[in-house]
Amino acid sequence: MNYIRYIIGFTLFLCYFLLLEGPMFYTPYYHEQHHLFLFSRAYLESHLASPGQLLDYLTDFCIQFFYLPHIGKFVFACLLFLPYLLNTLICQKLTRKQDVFRLGMVVPLYLLVQHLSIDFPLTHAVGLNLCLLLLVPVSLIRSAKWRYPLFLFVTGCLCYICGWKYPLITWIYICVTAVSALLAGRYITKNKIRAVITAVSLLVYAGVTFYFFVFSYNMRERRIIEAEMYLKAGEWEKVMECCRRYRGNNQLIQYFYNMALYHTGKMPYDLFETPQGYGSGIPLSALEKR
């Protein structure tokens, strides 16, 4: 049954990648536009000055790949699905049991829903993955004499890199999954029952995630960032299309629409098709600079 975790992991990765290529395409773009990474000694030393700052450095390092659209989405999808795979691997090595409830999926699905908001920082996913990646080699050590002291040492190093919060959350994540695997292995022994429980759990996770995904999806946020992407590419017809599809009043959307009208030569004809909520005193020179 070990292959099931790889099937689930690959399915998670594929779903995340397709979502980032589709409905969530604007999320990597937004993060890339609001983070800066420099390959310089001074930039690195500024993050080594105090404990916990190195995680921000690693986060910016990951985000720099978002500049390349498809590679960036591949990296983003890996950051979202890897916690499940790494967590189940650690728990399997520590307990020699499989968690039939697949509780390790809760955190990756939670990260997916949270990242529907562009304000949710990528630092959480990077910190969790870093902690799990450094704990995996230690979990492979069979001798308890060396394993547990090394766990303490690695946890101490992670506290310096990430601060105390992420190692604590990682250990809670591991312990909850490990306890579930031990209890399930003790009280649920029939393979058919275990298979049914796993299938039902996966259906519940999929249904709950779909519900929160649909009701948390911010279409207005998407339209604004999508219009900005087309604006920077100089695709003014697509800018106008995004602005027309935006529901509600937004000053930035009106500004983008007027810029598109100006650059397509349609301003004298179509300016008053949409309400102008700027007030008075908006100079045309602001449009010409774009």
Side-chain angles (χ1 to χ4, degrees), residues 221-234:
E221 196 173 75
R222 167 185 170 169
R223 293 301 181 200
I224 293 175
I225 300 174
E226 187 177 11
E228 181 185 355
M229 292 171 64
Y230 291 135
L231 182 145
K232 291 183 177 180

Side-chain angles (χ1 to χ4, degrees):
M1 299 290 287
N2 290 338
Y3 64 89
I4 293 181
R5 68 167 175 260
Y6 297 109
I7 295 176
I8 296 175
F10 176 76
T11 303
L12 281 175
F13 167 78
L14 186 61
C15 290
Y16 290 168
F17 184 75
L18 292 176
L19 287 173
L20 290 167
E21 286 283 355
M24 296 177 64
F25 71 94
Y26 60 92
T27 305
Y29 169 83
Y30 179 86
H31 285 291
E32 189 273 329
Q33 290 291 307
H34 289 79
H35 288 79
L36 174 67
F37 179 80
L38 298 175
F39 278 104
S40 66
R41 181 176 179 179
Y43 186 72
L44 176 59
E45 289 178 349
S46 67
H47 287 82
L48 292 174
S50 59
Q53 293 297 315
L54 189 58
L55 179 60
D56 294 331
Y57 181 87
L58 295 174
T59 302
D60 291 341
F61 174 79
C62 293
I63 290 177
Q64 70 169 329
F65 294 103
F66 294 178
Y67 179 77
L68 303 172
H70 300 297
I71 295 177
K73 291 165 185 175
F74 177 87
V75 173
F76 205 147
C78 288
L79 290 173
L80 293 179
F81 100 94
L82 273 177
Y84 166 76
L85 202 60
L86 297 175
N87 177 67
T88 53
L89 179 60
I90 292 173
C91 292
Q92 197 275 331
K93 294 299 180 183
L94 294 178
T95 64
R96 307 296 177 183
K97 304 289 184 181
Q98 292 284 343
D99 178 25
V100 296
F101 295 99
R102 304 295 168 182
L103 293 178
M105 293 183 62
V106 174
V107 170
L109 295 176
Y110 170 81
L111 290 175
L112 172 67
V113 174
Q114 290 300 314
H115 275 292
L116 287 173
S117 171
I118 56 177
D119 296 324
F120 190 76
L122 194 67
T123 309
H124 299 327
V126 176
L128 183 62
N129 277 287
L130 177 64
C131 293
L132 290 169
L133 278 171
L134 292 184
L135 291 174
V136 165
V138 182
S139 67
L140 299 177
I141 300 174
R142 294 185 178 182
S143 174
K145 178 181 177 180
W146 293 101
R147 177 192 290 173
Y148 296 106
L150 283 174
F151 271 139
L152 293 175
F153 174 76
V154 171
T155 302
C157 294
L158 289 171
C159 287
Y160 175 77
I161 298 173
C162 308
W164 62 270
K165 180 172 63 176
Y166 292 104
L168 177 61
I169 293 174
T170 301
W171 275 114
I172 293 174
Y173 182 34
I174 293 172
C175 289
V176 169
T177 309
V179 170
S180 175
L182 289 172
L183 293 177
R186 182 175 180 180
Y187 295 106
I188 306 174
T189 56
K190 294 184 178 180
N191 290 334
K192 289 185 178 180
I193 297 178
R194 293 172 65 89
V196 170
I197 291 176
T198 297
V200 172
S201 299
L202 294 177
L203 290 175
V204 170
Y205 296 149
V208 172
T209 303
F210 179 78
Y211 173 83
F212 283 106
F213 186 94
V214 171
F215 284 94
S216 300
Y217 192 78
N218 192 333
M219 183 57 73
R220 292 184 177 182
E221 196 173 75
R222 167 185 170 169
R223 293 301 181 200
I224 293 175
I225 300 174
E226 187 177 11
E228 181 185 355
M229 292 171 64
Y230 291 135
L231 182 145
K232 291 183 177 180
E235 300 180 19
W236 302 108
E237 293 291 342
K238 292 183 179 179
V239 172
M240 288 192 291
E241 183 65 23
C242 289
C243 294
R244 292 191 189 102
R245 291 183 178 182
Y246 184 87
R247 295 183 178 180
N249 295 320
N250 183 278
Q251 186 172 347
L252 185 60
I253 283 292
Q254 292 176 0
Y255 180 54
F256 287 166
Y257 186 75
N258 289 346
M259 288 173 57
L261 289 177
Y262 174 81
H263 284 280
T264 55
K266 298 179 180 179
M267 179 171 281
Y269 311 102
D270 300 337
L271 178 62
F272 295 106
E273 285 187 356
T274 58
Q276 302 296 313
Y278 294 107
S280 60
I282 300 299
L284 288 178
S285 59
L287 305 179
E288 293 174 356
K289 291 179 181 179
R290 292 284 184 165

